[in-house]
C-alpha cells in the first residue's frame, strides 16, 4: 500500500496536535522528525523539503503559525526561525474534501 503524500501526512500530524486546546499546535521540527521517520529519510535536504511543504501549506491558508522562536542550533540551524503550526478551519475543510480525515 503506498504511503500518503508528504503534505497530507503533514496535515494529519498538525491536525492530531491541533485538537488539544492546552498545547494547540506543533513545532516544525517535530513535524519534520515524524515525516522523516515515516518515510525513512534523513539529512538536511529532507528536513528542508518538509519546511518547504510547510511553507506551501501556510501560503495556501491550510495552516497558521501560533508561535515563533529562534533555533539554538538543535534543529535546522542556529538562528533559523522555528514555527509552531496549527490547522485552520479551511485546512480542516480541505482535509475532509480530500478524504484525509
Amino acid at each position: 500500500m503506498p504511503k500518503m503524500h508528504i503534505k497530507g501526512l503533514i496535515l494529519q500530524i498538525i491536525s492530531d496536535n491541533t485538537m488539544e486546546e492546552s498545547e494547540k499546535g506543533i513545532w516544525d521540527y517535530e513535524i519534520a522528525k515524524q515525516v522523516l521517520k515515516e518515510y525513512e529519510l534523513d539529512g538536511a535536504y529532507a528536513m528542508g523539503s518538509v519546511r518547504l511543504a510547510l511553507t506551501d501549506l501556510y501560503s495556501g491558508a491550510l495552516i497558521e503559525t501560533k508561535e515563533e522562536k529562534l533555533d539554538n542550533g538543535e534543529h535546522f540551524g542556529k538562528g533559523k526561525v522555528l514555527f509552531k503550526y496549527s490547522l485552520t478551519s479551511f485546512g480542516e475543510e480541505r482535509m475532509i474534501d480530500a478524504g484525509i480525515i
Side-chain angles (χ1 to χ4, degrees):
M1 178 177 191
K3 293 183 182 183
M4 179 176 296
H5 56 89
I6 287 180
K7 288 181 184 176
L9 178 60
I10 289 171
L11 288 171
Q12 280 186 333
I13 292 168
I14 295 172
S15 176
D16 290 346
N17 288 277
T18 299
M19 300 304 168
E20 297 182 26
E21 202 61 42
S22 62
E23 279 296 315
K24 195 167 187 162
I26 182 170
W27 289 100
D28 51 5
Y29 56 87
E30 295 171 320
I31 296 166
K33 286 179 187 175
Q34 289 184 42
V35 170
L36 269 58
K37 182 179 178 185
E38 175 72 22
Y39 284 92
E40 299 174 358
L41 299 171
D42 192 20
Y45 181 82
M47 294 283 277
S49 294
V50 172
R51 289 194 90 186
L52 181 62
L54 285 164
T55 301
D56 190 40
L57 293 168
Y58 177 81
S59 68
L62 300 173
I63 60 176
E64 61 188 351
T65 58
K66 291 296 190 182
E67 195 176 333
E68 299 86 27
K69 65 181 178 181
L70 290 179
D71 191 342
N72 62 5
E74 274 185 62
H75 307 291
F76 297 111
K78 188 166 179 65
K80 300 232 181 198
V81 180
L82 303 172
F83 297 96
K84 188 174 193 179
Y85 289 103
S86 67
L87 192 65
T88 64
S89 58
F90 177 67
E92 187 175 358
E93 289 174 28
R94 295 299 298 145
M95 288 179 72
I96 292 168
D97 292 345
I100 297 173
I101 58 171

